[in-house]
Amino acid sequence: MLKQTLGWTRPRLRDSAAADRWTWLIIAAHTQLRLARPLATDLRRPREKPAPPHKLTPARVRRGFRNLRTTTGSPAGAPKPATPGPGRPPGSKNRRPATRHNVGRVLTTGEAYQRPAHHKAGTKPRRTP
């Protein structure tokens, strides 16, 4: 019974150190559930008897945990909309085009880089069929 409660039957651990870490992780989770007992509501099965809030088992607290999350606050901010903003209206001119900076490439000989003549705009050689 304790092996199932501690989650030892779930993972397939090959190393004893990993099993120790897993055990401590499960113990920490059970401690969190025990600390959340006063906040959780009792969602019991039909066959279970009602229990006072300070006597809930970790399994019952886990069942009521989904309701607990909605009542507690979240440190995260409100989500932003997924759609992009309106941007510049279509048809309007861009009044501030991006500035272009000269990269200033210099060859090892010390002279400024010039693009080859066949790379300049409008000078690309075309194939003739």
Side-chain angles (χ1 to χ4, degrees):
M1 175 76 174
L2 188 63
K3 286 170 70 174
Q4 287 180 337
T5 306
L6 290 177
W8 282 344
T9 58
R10 274 277 160 214
R12 302 286 184 224
L13 303 173
R14 296 178 184 198
D15 188 21
S16 61
D20 288 342
R21 287 192 304 268
W22 179 259
T23 302
W24 283 111
L25 184 70
I26 297 298
I27 289 171
H30 274 262
T31 304
Q32 290 289 329
L33 289 172
R34 289 218 181 258
L35 291 174
R37 268 198 292 201
L39 305 172
T41 57
D42 187 16
L43 295 178
R44 59 187 179 89
R45 307 267 191 240
R47 64 185 175 272
E48 295 174 340
K49 295 179 182 176
H54 64 281
K55 294 268 188 179
L56 292 178
T57 64
R60 281 190 175 182
V61 174
R62 195 177 75 206
R63 267 187 243 146
F65 199 73
R66 64 173 174 247
N67 299 337
L68 175 66
R69 261 193 62 231
T70 58
T71 58
T72 57
S74 173
K80 294 184 177 181
T83 56
R88 186 165 35 102
S92 65
K93 292 273 188 184
N94 186 4
R95 294 189 182 148
R96 289 184 357 180
T99 56
R100 306 286 184 204
H101 299 285
N102 185 8
V103 178
R105 287 170 53 179
V106 178
L107 299 174
T108 55
T109 58
E111 57 191 58
Y113 173 77
Q114 295 286 329
R115 294 180 72 176
H118 66 278
H119 280 208
K120 293 190 177 167
T123 59
K124 186 172 180 183
R126 302 284 177 205
R127 291 187 191 164
T128 54

